[in-house]
Amino acid sequence: SLVFLGSHDSFSFYIDEASPVGPEQPETVQNFVSVFGTVAKKLMRKWLATQTMNFTSQLGAGIRYFDLRISTKPRDPDNELYFAHGLFSAKVKEGLEEINAFLTEHPKEVVFLDFNHFYGMQKCHHEKLVQMLKDTYGNKMCPAIFAHEVSLQYLWEKEHQVLVFYHSPVSVEVAFLWPGQMMPAPWANTTDTEKLIQFLQASITERRKKGSFFISQVVLTPKASTVVKGVASGLRETITER
């Protein structure tokens, strides 16, 4: 079996404090930002930026799985697509091109792009994203087949370097989009390391029955109370270093 290293909220290094709040955020967060403005966004970034590296640096460090969440921006005249996690991040096109530059330079490397959340996306936006993937990666993308047929040798022979997982019904219409259920990602949702380890052990046992790719999310998730207690410090000091 193959094991690849991945990153959580992979694009979050690029989070822009000057951007609007993402459309998926609850009304309480929207109100918080409307009252406290830039200060609120700076505090949000401390808890939303789970990565300290850009895509190129992550690839250089061995990351090959990318957790991608895509959003439109309200009242955006250019109708662009952005990575998003609470606040907006880089343009999707720029991120995809950055990854492609690495793949072109390293023709035997393979990446997994997991598009698992979509916000404010209509049919036309999905069509735009699919076309963007075609234009950027072309034949580098591996068409969806049975997971057990995918080996590094197979990918090298076919000169495929990208597997795109797409958690939307759109995936059934496009040959190079792997359905989201082919990349399950059970979530422990805990700040307790012992509970996380127990959850991962149980997940590994369950994984063997599925016959698909699988994500082991070795992440601790802060609760609202955790954020309130460490609001001025941020994710790194409160969760990671602990």
Side-chain angles (χ1 to χ4, degrees), residues 90-205:
K91 292 179 180 178
V92 173
K93 188 173 190 294
E94 293 171 356
L96 298 183
E97 288 174 348
E98 190 174 346
I99 293 170
N100 187 53
F102 176 87
L103 294 174
T104 300
E105 193 174 335
H106 303 86
K108 285 206 165 185
E109 294 293 344
V110 175
V111 298
F112 296 75
L113 305 182
D114 190 7
F115 292 85
N116 53 62
H117 287 74
F118 299 101
Y119 306 110
M121 299 268 293
Q122 305 298 324
K123 186 172 185 282
C124 62
H125 298 115
H126 284 288
E127 289 172 350
K128 180 173 183 171
L129 180 51
V130 167
Q131 189 60 50
M132 200 181 293
L133 288 164
K134 284 181 182 175
D135 293 343
T136 306
Y137 299 118
N139 292 331
K140 284 189 177 84
M141 290 186 291
C142 178
I145 55 177
F146 293 110
H148 67 263
E149 294 179 14
V150 179
S151 65
L152 279 177
Q153 191 61 45
Y154 171 86
L155 295 170
W156 291 337
E157 287 173 1
K158 300 290 185 182
E159 298 184 348
H160 296 321
Q161 292 181 267
V162 183
L163 277 74
V164 178
F165 295 85
Y166 208 83
H167 295 244
S168 161
V170 172
S171 65
V172 301
E173 303 169 13
V174 183
F176 62 77
L177 295 182
W178 292 67
Q181 62 265 29
M182 293 292 288
M183 185 65 90
W187 176 35
N189 191 18
T190 181
T191 56
D192 187 308
T193 52
E194 287 300 318
K195 288 182 180 176
L196 174 62
I197 290 167
Q198 290 170 11
F199 178 85
L200 291 170
Q201 288 172 336
S203 298
I204 288 169
T205 302

Side-chain angles (χ1 to χ4, degrees), residues 5-19:
L5 293 177
S7 57
H8 179 65
D9 290 322
S10 305
F11 48 81
S12 59
F13 169 83
Y14 303 87
I15 284 177
D16 180 10
E17 292 169 11
S19 79

Side-chain angles (χ1 to χ4, degrees), residues 38-58:
T38 303
V39 173
K41 290 180 183 179
K42 285 183 181 296
L43 292 174
M44 284 179 70
R45 192 185 192 285
K46 282 175 171 276
W47 285 92
L48 296 170
T50 61
Q51 303 302 326
T52 58
M53 294 181 178
N54 62 21
F55 282 146
T56 301
S57 297
Q58 288 185 48

